Amino acid sequence: MTVEQAQSGVDKLAVRMDERRRSVDGVKVTVAELADAEPMLVLPALPFPAELEVVRTVSPQALVSFEAARPTMPHHRTDVVPLRRTP
């Protein structure tokens, strides 16, 4: 099967799935109609304030691997240090 044939099959399945009937408050509607009637939420003004924290061991060379970086740390070798990244 080619990529185009596979995509065509997925597209046909999506159309069939959208045409399924549901009963909402006694009224028969399609899934597509329900989706069209559902309002989209407004995007937040600021990103969610997620914070990532991991624990790493300092190498004998005073290096710590974190997100493709290897900063030097002012700790003795083999100390365990918490590293934190905020947006």
Side-chain angles (χ1 to χ4, degrees):
M1 177 179 284
T2 67
V3 172
E4 290 80 13
Q5 291 170 328
Q7 184 63 55
S8 175
V10 170
D11 292 342
K12 289 175 185 174
L13 176 63
V15 169
R16 279 200 327 258
M17 299 292 278
D18 282 352
E19 292 172 348
R20 293 177 298 162
R21 296 265 175 206
R22 297 285 186 257
S23 179
V24 178
D25 296 328
V27 178
K28 295 280 188 180
V29 294
T30 65
V31 173
E33 291 167 342
L34 287 173
D36 289 341
E38 188 174 321
M40 298 281 291
L41 297 176
V42 178
L43 289 175
L46 298 172
F48 183 75
E51 186 175 282
L52 172 68
E53 181 173 320
V54 295
V55 176
R56 297 285 191 259
T57 302
V58 180
S59 74
Q61 295 80 22
L63 298 174
V64 177
S65 293
F66 183 64
E67 294 189 343
R70 293 184 63 101
T72 58
M73 302 298 290
H75 292 275
H76 301 308
R77 62 190 177 128
T78 69
D79 278 355
V80 175
V81 294
L83 301 170
R84 194 173 288 143
R85 177 179 52 90
T86 57

